Amino acid sequence: MTRTPVSRRLPDFPWDQLLPYAATARAHPDGVVDLSIGTPVDPTPAVVQQALRDAADSPGYPTTLGLPETRQAAIDWLARSHGVTGLGLDGVLPVVGSKELIAGLPTHLGIGPGDLVVLPEVAYPTYEVGAALVGAETLATDSLTAIGPRTPALLWLNSPSNPTGRVLPPDHLRKVVQWCRERGVLLVSDECYLECTWEAEALSVLHPSICGGSHEGLLAVHSLSKRSNLAGYRCAFLAGDPAVVAELLAVRKNLGLMMPGPQQRAMVAALDDDDHAREQHARYAARRGVLKQALEGAGFAISHSEASLYLWATRGESCWDTVAALAEQGVLVAPGSFYGRAGAQHVRVAFTATDERVAAAADRLA
Ligand SMILES: Cc1ncc(COP(=O)(O)O)c(C=O)c1O
């Protein structure tokens, strides 16, 4: 019997389609301005680097549960910066970057064929990858009524959104929480851009005004990658319903999914320090301003984009035409179709590039 490779179950890895445009953009005499991916480029904060160095001696195994100090730092940060109350040490679990958690969650929860996973209409692709891996059905919609009478096994929210930068209003969040609770649906809210807000305030699903003070049936996913330029460290955590956290812990500890000890110490330093996050926020705000003005000057309309690290831009044409035209100018952006059919006329422009490269993009667009 020949086995079907697992990779066949997964959606096509779309980035390969961008390679010819990347080659065009790289041929620009002043070099490429790569705004296609949201990878941080500024230094990892000194306070976090020092914490990692101080924790370098680490001969023993870390635990999947994580250090109490690491979980407490997550609780304290959520309380201090995001008004989350009622979270105990049993409601937090460190994960090895949030992508790992997102892709593995349906597997770890025993979701499978015949189950439905609901994700945003235009979405970070890994929600679909996780569902496809276990053979679950997916529905990409922002409308609860579109789900009909079915009871999903899992419903993903992502506010602020990658790629659109949209922040879901509190009323919408409350409605989704209530809908999920009435049906016993697990609601998982990917909040990795919660602090990357520019023209809106974003609330965690665990905020008492959204969840009514109980975390039952709710998980929030947080990542230090963007807030603290820590994508290389793989520092993230989930927080919420202790019963769900306990089940995930019971599964994940059998799989060796543990955040390395030195990274756990580094995450404490990152969560405890707000100064570097404020500095980084100001850098991104300035880059966003420059690019937004340049894109609007070049005839683009910016949709949503009130938060996250992206401008969701359209010229009312196929996203691939926009990608091609910008590549000719040496600017590489991501086609909206990577994120769902509804993105077919948008491009996603990341502002995670240096000031110098952002200025170069603005010059080229002028
Ligand atoms: C919406 C969203 N969730 C999760 C991630 C993964 O972040 P990480 O694995 O670095 O924590 C990203 C990365 O870009 C993202 O955009």
Side-chain angles (χ1 to χ4, degrees):
M1 191 185 81
T2 43
R3 214 182 293 277
T4 308
V6 174
S7 57
R8 293 250 183 97
R9 272 190 247 155
L10 304 181
D12 288 337
F13 192 72
W15 294 93
D16 294 342
Q17 297 168 45
L18 204 56
L19 292 176
Y21 301 96
T24 302
R26 268 199 301 273
H28 190 281
D30 182 35
V32 62
V33 179
D34 189 350
L35 308 178
S36 68
I37 51 169
T39 191
V41 295
D42 302 302
T44 294
V47 67
V48 182
Q49 293 193 38
Q50 189 57 47
L52 186 75
R53 277 192 291 270
D54 291 346
D57 182 21
S58 183
Y61 287 103
T63 60
T64 298
L65 177 58
L67 297 166
E69 298 91 312
T70 306
R71 284 174 287 142
Q72 189 62 48
I75 293 168
D76 293 346
W77 171 72
L78 278 172
R80 181 177 81 244
S81 299
H82 299 289
V84 172
T85 54
L87 204 54
L89 285 175
D90 59 352
V92 177
L93 192 64
V95 297
V96 196
S98 64
K99 184 169 182 171
E100 166 267 295
L101 183 272
I102 293 167
L105 192 64
T107 306
H108 301 163
L109 291 172
I111 292 170
D115 286 327
L116 177 66
V117 172
V118 175
L119 40 102
E121 184 178 15
V122 187
Y124 176 61
T126 311
Y127 310 126
E128 190 180 346
V129 167
L133 194 60
V134 298
E137 194 185 326
T138 54
L139 176 64
T141 182
D142 297 326
S143 146
L144 293 171
T145 44
I147 301 169
R150 291 187 67 181
T151 301
L154 174 62
L155 185 146
W156 283 105
L157 287 183
N158 176 218
S159 171
S161 153
N162 173 9
T164 68
R166 179 177 175 209
V167 173
L168 295 175
D171 274 350
H172 185 99
L173 292 175
R174 275 189 284 271
K175 208 166 66 180
V176 179
V177 168
Q178 188 190 355
W179 189 94
C180 285
R181 284 198 173 140
E182 283 166 3
R183 290 161 183 78
V185 175
L186 178 65
L187 167 53
V188 189
S189 176
D190 179 352
E191 301 179 352
C192 71
Y193 297 101
L194 202 59
E195 294 199 342
C196 305
T197 53
W198 323 105
E199 296 176 45
E201 254 196 80
L203 281 177
S204 170
V205 79
L206 303 181
H207 190 280
S209 72
I210 302 300
C211 68
S214 158
H215 301 152
E216 192 190 336
L218 307 176
L219 286 182
V221 181
H222 287 278
S223 171
L224 280 288
S225 294
K226 317 287 179 173
R227 172 188 182 271
S228 301
N229 299 334
L230 234 55
Y233 282 42
R234 313 310 298 137
C235 288
F237 66 91
L238 57 86
D241 190 332
V244 184
V245 170
E247 173 60 14
L248 288 171
L249 171 63
V251 173
R252 290 170 59 88
K253 66 185 182 188
N254 282 288
L255 305 180
L257 288 168
M258 42 212 178
M259 185 192 287
Q263 265 78 349
Q264 292 194 42
R265 298 282 181 194
M267 188 158 93
V268 173
L271 287 167
D272 283 353
D273 182 65
D274 293 328
D275 289 345
H276 77 270
R278 261 193 298 273
E279 270 171 40
Q280 190 57 42
H281 187 275
R283 281 186 201 119
Y284 283 139
R287 291 169 190 163
R288 175 180 181 274
V290 170
L291 278 174
K292 184 165 182 284
Q293 199 179 5
L295 286 164
E296 285 171 343
F300 284 89
I302 306 296
S303 315
H304 300 299
S305 307
E306 58 266 22
S308 86
L309 295 179
Y310 312 101
L311 290 163
W312 187 237
T314 180
R315 258 191 329 207
E317 62 188 8
S318 155
C319 59
W320 285 107
D321 290 343
T322 311
V323 167
L326 291 177
E328 291 294 337
Q329 294 178 276
V331 178
L332 191 64
V333 299
S337 58
F338 280 8
Y339 306 92
R341 238 173 282 142
Q345 295 207 334
H346 280 77
V347 292
R348 193 196 72 168
V349 184
F351 39 94
T352 51
T354 62
D355 293 345
E356 186 275 327
R357 286 290 85 184
V358 166
D363 275 353
R364 294 175 194 186
L365 286 165

